[in-house]
Amino acid sequence: MKHRIVVLGAGYAGAFAAGNLARRLSPADTEITVVNAVPDFVERMRLHQLAIGQDLAFRKLADVFAGTGVRLRLARVTGVDPEPRTVAVTSEDGDGELAYDTLLYALGSSVAHHGVPGVVEYAFDVTGRSSALRLRERMAGLGEGGTVLVVGEGLTGIETATEFAESRPDLSVALAARGELGAWLSPKARRHLRQAFDRLGITVHEHTGIEAVEPTRAIAVDGTSLPADVTVWSAGFAVHPIAAASGLEVAESGQIVVDRTMRSVSHPDVYAAGDCAYAIGENGRPLPMSCASAGFTNMQATAAIIARLTSNEVPTTGLKYHGNHISLGRRDAIFQMVDGDVRSKSWYLGGRIAARLKSGVLKGAGWGIAHPTFGMPKRKRRLATAPDRAGVRAAA
């Protein structure tokens, strides 16, 4: 019986990991299945562009995995049972169950509501394609002079506010920040950011936490009313409670606690990658939920899975950030270098050159997903033991 590897999620972490595994492991011994709720690969880093009306081409996962040997199961994951090693799914064809010998959990994250009243009912977000399309429809119906409030001063909030202001100069765009705008940037980069906001006419409400969202306004903690025909909530990410409900050891955030190789500390047959992994970086701090973390963790997880199944030494991949790319519309951006403790260095790159660099990063990430097995070693490794479930598990 072949060793069954199941990958949950086909985002930046899951899609590339599945291709990597298919390229490196012999199909005579392994069977790789990817479970994803939608048939397309969604470029999450560009969803704010989709929301403001720009047309994005979505890659069909069936095309992405064509010729790789990876099986695609279009279904929504509803549960994981790590004791019998099964995954519960539901689809248009009904409920089902998948058995696995090795599981790579890469279901990503969604918007974090933080229990703020009115967010679920009235706010929009850009953390998924369906939510971005819902916001796109609302923005298309917003007439001249309409007000848009973006809540959150992180990368998603900054990129959303600047993209919206540049694309729709007829609107009044504002951003509510709990602290200082761009506080983590170097002084020069922070000035560049503020100049971009001034150029685009974006109003900034610093040190302004939001305690409620209503249909046409948001209420700040100090009672101030901020007008908002549209409120875009970008105040952080949250993971699905499936992992916690499964009995896997999770952090307070609900992320799966993993060791340095991205293997679950409670269940050795389970690995995690991307936003759902509680992984410690080289600076001793948890990796943030980001596309960069998806890259680090999926490379480490796949390397560990391959090494253990083939009885080789597990290599370690880098878990260190080098900088942040921040789009400020289509023609401006900031690339901020950081040190080992993720503190901003004095050097940064801004303007059109940085915008072209960010565009290249996005295109490169998309191309890499579309060609998940490109550049990988052509040698198909055989498993070190007979591919029966009990034997392989014992070898792990």
Side-chain angles (χ1 to χ4, degrees):
M1 183 177 181
K2 293 183 179 181
H3 187 86
R4 297 161 299 184
I5 301 175
V6 174
V7 180
L8 304 183
Y12 289 108
F16 190 81
N20 192 347
L21 291 167
R23 181 76 172 198
R24 304 279 295 278
L25 293 172
S26 172
D29 297 339
T30 55
E31 177 183 287
I32 302 168
T33 302
V34 174
V35 182
N36 203 59
V38 297
D40 305 321
F41 170 71
V42 177
E43 291 188 77
R44 186 169 177 176
M45 291 190 294
R46 301 182 65 190
L47 288 178
H48 57 289
Q49 296 175 243
L50 177 68
I52 198 57
Q54 298 173 29
D55 293 326
L56 304 181
F58 291 96
R59 295 174 175 83
K60 294 292 183 183
L61 289 172
D63 296 335
V64 167
F65 294 124
T68 67
V70 174
R71 300 181 179 184
L72 176 63
R73 176 74 177 268
L74 294 179
R76 181 171 58 86
V77 178
T78 58
V80 173
D81 193 336
E83 297 310 323
R85 289 178 290 174
T86 58
V87 177
V89 299
T90 186
S91 67
E92 294 180 352
D93 298 327
D95 297 337
E97 190 174 84
L98 288 172
Y100 67 84
D101 300 303
T102 296
L103 181 70
L104 177 54
Y105 190 109
L107 288 179
S109 63
S110 58
V111 66
H113 300 137
H114 300 299
V116 176
V119 172
V120 174
E121 296 85 355
Y122 306 119
F124 297 81
D125 68 82
V126 291
T127 58
R129 185 172 66 170
S130 60
S131 59
L133 287 173
R134 175 173 165 261
L135 175 55
R136 179 188 179 107
E137 182 178 3
R138 179 69 182 95
M139 293 298 295
L142 194 59
E144 182 177 354
T147 55
V148 178
L149 176 67
V150 179
V151 179
E153 69 273 27
L155 303 186
T156 301
I158 290 173
E159 293 194 339
T160 300
T162 52
E163 194 79 46
F164 281 27
E166 181 181 86
S167 299
R168 292 288 305 272
D170 59 313
L171 301 178
S172 175
V173 179
L175 183 143
R178 291 187 62 87
E180 179 186 351
L181 179 67
W184 74 94
L185 296 171
S186 63
K188 291 182 179 179
R190 195 179 310 137
R191 285 196 296 271
H192 186 111
L193 177 63
R194 289 186 176 277
Q195 289 169 358
F197 268 60
D198 291 342
R199 171 173 53 82
L200 294 168
I202 302 171
T203 301
V204 181
H205 303 284
E206 293 184 312
H207 307 289
T208 303
I210 301 300
E211 68 173 10
V213 176
E214 298 179 358
T216 59
R217 66 174 184 169
I219 308 300
V221 173
D222 63 3
T224 302
S225 176
L226 304 178
D229 295 316
V230 175
T231 296
V232 183
W233 194 262
S234 57
F237 305 110
V239 298
H240 198 284
I242 287 176
S246 71
L248 294 166
E249 183 173 335
V250 298
E252 186 177 350
S253 61
Q255 295 169 288
I256 299 173
V257 180
V258 295
D259 63 16
R260 182 57 178 80
T261 68
M262 303 303 128
R263 183 160 68 169
S264 165
V265 297
S266 61
H267 293 78
D269 299 315
V270 178
Y271 293 75
D275 288 353
C276 57
Y278 187 80
I280 305 300
E282 293 178 11
N283 59 4
R285 303 173 187 170
L287 292 177
M289 297 185 189
S290 70
C291 181
S293 294
F296 300 153
T297 55
N298 98 70
M299 288 188 291
Q300 179 61 80
T302 53
I305 291 170
I306 293 165
R308 290 193 171 105
L309 291 181
T310 57
S311 290
N312 285 293
E313 183 177 352
V314 178
T316 56
T317 61
L319 300 177
K320 180 181 178 181
Y321 277 79
H322 298 285
N324 288 318
H325 289 95
I326 312 170
S327 294
L328 305 174
R330 295 297 86 212
R331 297 180 293 276
D332 193 6
I334 290 172
F335 178 53
Q336 174 69 69
M337 295 292 292
V338 299
D339 63 18
D341 292 322
V342 199
R343 293 176 301 193
S344 295
K345 296 182 177 181
S346 60
W347 184 87
Y348 91 101
L349 183 66
R352 289 182 179 271
I353 294 177
R356 287 195 289 269
L357 179 61
K358 178 61 181 285
S359 177
V361 169
L362 293 174
K363 290 179 181 178
W367 192 93
I369 293 296
H371 303 81
T373 61
F374 180 80
M376 299 296 169
K378 295 183 178 180
R379 178 189 171 197
K380 300 280 191 176
R381 298 187 182 184
R382 298 297 300 267
L383 269 59
T385 58
D388 62 272
R389 292 197 299 165
V392 172
R393 188 170 188 180

